[in-house]
Amino acid sequence: MIINNNKNKSQYSLKYFFISFFLIFNSTAYANSGHKHSSARNTCLIEIGSQVFIQGANFTMGDDDTYHEEGPSHEITLTDFWIDAHEVTNKQFSKFASETGYITVAERTPDPKDWPGMPSELLKPGSTLFVKPKNSNNILSWWSYVEGVNWRHPYGPTSSIKGRDYYPVIHVAWEDAKAYADWAGRSLPTEAQFELAARSQRNGTYAWDGEELAPKGHHYANTWQGKFPIENIADDDHLGLAPVGCYEPNDYGAYDLIGNVWEWTSNWYLPRHNPLDSHNPIGPTKDQSHQRTQTLIPLRVIKGGSFLCAPNYCIRYRPAARQAADTGLGTSHIGFRTVTMKK
């Protein structure tokens, strides 16, 4: 079966990216810099592709003490669901792409008709990479849009996923994640579902015991140690992305709901929670998101933080953490997993 790619009008996404962030195409050598990986293993799990059961619960969602967009904290009621035990891997996504012929957003050439006046050299398929900057004060130097980068070539046009079957698939836009979920007969998790699973039956700041990132020096997630974005000393044994499941599972048996990669949810983004949306909440509509964010850029919620989150920057390696992400762009630190309501 061939899936017809929904030509999602991503022009606002790309325009925002090119104009607002002034990102440029870079050489392969530049793209590959800053992406060394300390993991010598391709896999950390014996079982790949399983799901874990999350019993329905009442819980407090959000946080009033860290970032404004994480509040207000409020009571939520969710019914039972199942969630992937780990992020979708390169191997899993490869099977989907092979069986369906699906072409991701990063692999498609933008249509010049959608970009009147845009220089043709910018209308190239590609994706965004974190590159360790020389100047830590310039956020524009942390990210680069690189021609030829996509899920098959995650760190430059000549890179590949050979030997990386069990790493999270990256450089997937929201519609790519949604297409995979549809093919699998599943859904992307709502923000509330993700947060309940990530909380690991706790109601503290972190998803583990102890009110600190690494209690007694023990790391429960793949994050950044050192001064971001210049130095990562890799105390957690991974410099960059890690294979799925390299850190111990939470109380539900799920891996990497915190750290490694940010993960797409089904929710449109609002800059604050709506405490009235409290029973199996699915979040705002697209129009409500546009109105509240005052932008035409389509934004969805991502959860969980990533290997780029550090104590001096981001601090989003917490279940309540949330961020807006442009649906039309993939990056080197966003992946996804799926949920189902019945087994």
Side-chain angles (χ1 to χ4, degrees):
M1 176 183 69
I2 302 296
I3 291 179
N4 292 323
N5 295 324
N6 178 13
K7 189 181 178 184
N8 188 349
K9 289 291 186 178
S10 298
Q11 59 262 44
Y12 292 118
S13 303
L14 286 170
K15 188 171 293 185
Y16 177 79
F17 196 80
F18 286 120
I19 296 176
S20 297
F21 284 98
F22 305 99
L23 299 187
I24 60 173
F25 294 105
N26 294 273
S27 68
T28 302
Y30 182 61
N32 284 331
S33 66
H35 284 283
K36 298 177 181 178
H37 302 271
S38 62
S39 176
R41 295 177 293 177
N42 179 38
T43 182
C44 291
L45 292 180
I46 296 175
E47 183 179 6
I48 296 292
S50 64
Q51 289 195 309
V52 297
F53 177 67
I54 310 296
Q55 186 173 12
N58 298 319
F59 74 103
T60 301
M61 182 175 178
D63 181 3
D64 297 318
D65 299 323
T66 309
Y67 289 116
H68 180 74
E69 70 269 13
E70 296 170 9
S73 60
H74 57 293
E75 295 301 308
I76 288 290
T77 300
L78 287 180
T79 53
D80 300 347
F81 62 96
W82 295 76
I83 191 167
D84 293 349
H86 56 76
E87 311 96 302
V88 172
T89 65
N90 286 321
K91 186 173 184 178
Q92 290 173 298
F93 198 83
S94 181
K95 180 180 180 182
F96 156 66
S98 176
E99 291 186 5
T100 64
Y102 185 82
I103 305 298
T104 63
V105 170
E107 296 172 284
R108 305 174 206 164
T109 300
D111 188 342
K113 295 178 181 178
D114 293 332
W115 298 96
M118 184 67 71
S120 60
E121 64 268 19
L122 294 182
L123 297 178
K124 305 290 185 181
S127 190
T128 50
L129 279 174
F130 169 81
V131 180
K132 189 182 294 185
K134 295 179 180 179
N135 180 2
S136 63
N137 295 321
N138 183 8
I139 193 171
L140 301 183
S141 67
W142 301 358
W143 293 98
S144 294
Y145 187 91
V146 182
E147 180 183 353
V149 167
N150 54 58
W151 73 274
R152 301 177 191 271
H153 307 287
Y155 299 114
T158 62
S159 67
S160 78
I161 56 172
K162 183 177 180 181
R164 302 177 68 83
D165 284 349
Y166 301 110
Y167 280 73
V169 65
I170 51 177
H171 299 296
V172 283
W174 186 89
E175 68 179 81
D176 304 328
K178 176 65 163 54
Y180 175 96
D182 290 346
W183 168 78
R186 298 175 180 174
S187 305
L188 296 179
T190 65
E191 180 178 2
Q193 287 174 328
F194 190 101
E195 185 162 331
L196 175 60
R199 283 190 173 278
S200 189
Q201 303 184 57
R202 291 169 172 79
N203 198 35
T205 301
Y206 296 98
W208 43 82
D209 292 333
E211 289 296 298
E212 55 184 317
L213 174 60
K216 298 181 180 179
H218 182 78
H219 291 274
Y220 290 88
N222 182 17
T223 61
W224 183 291
Q225 298 87 56
K227 185 180 179 181
F228 182 88
I230 298 299
E231 179 189 36
N232 186 354
I233 58 177
D235 280 344
D236 62 0
D237 295 329
H238 291 280
L239 187 65
L241 199 63
V244 300
C246 288
Y247 298 83
E248 57 200 80
N250 71 9
D251 289 352
Y252 292 113
Y255 298 85
D256 302 329
L257 283 162
I258 301 298
N260 215 23
V261 289
W262 283 98
E263 300 186 36
W264 289 112
T265 73
S266 62
N267 285 58
W268 290 103
Y269 179 79
L270 284 182
R272 294 280 283 172
H273 286 303
N274 175 9
L276 299 180
D277 188 14
S278 61
H279 184 78
N280 290 324
I282 59 174
T285 65
K286 182 178 181 180
D287 286 344
Q288 288 170 334
S289 177
H290 287 331
Q291 291 168 6
R292 289 286 301 279
T293 59
Q294 298 183 334
T295 177
L296 291 177
I297 304 159
L299 300 173
R300 298 270 184 175
V301 176
I302 53 174
K303 294 281 286 182
S306 79
F307 66 90
L308 296 178
C309 286
N312 73 305
Y313 187 85
C314 177
I315 321 175
R316 287 186 169 90
Y317 30 63
R318 298 166 293 104
R322 61 197 299 267
Q323 202 163 40
D326 184 333
T327 62
L329 289 168
T331 73
S332 54
H333 74 330
I334 298 180
F336 71 99
R337 72 182 74 205
T338 66
V339 298
T340 186
M341 300 305 292
K342 295 181 180 180
K343 289 286 281 188

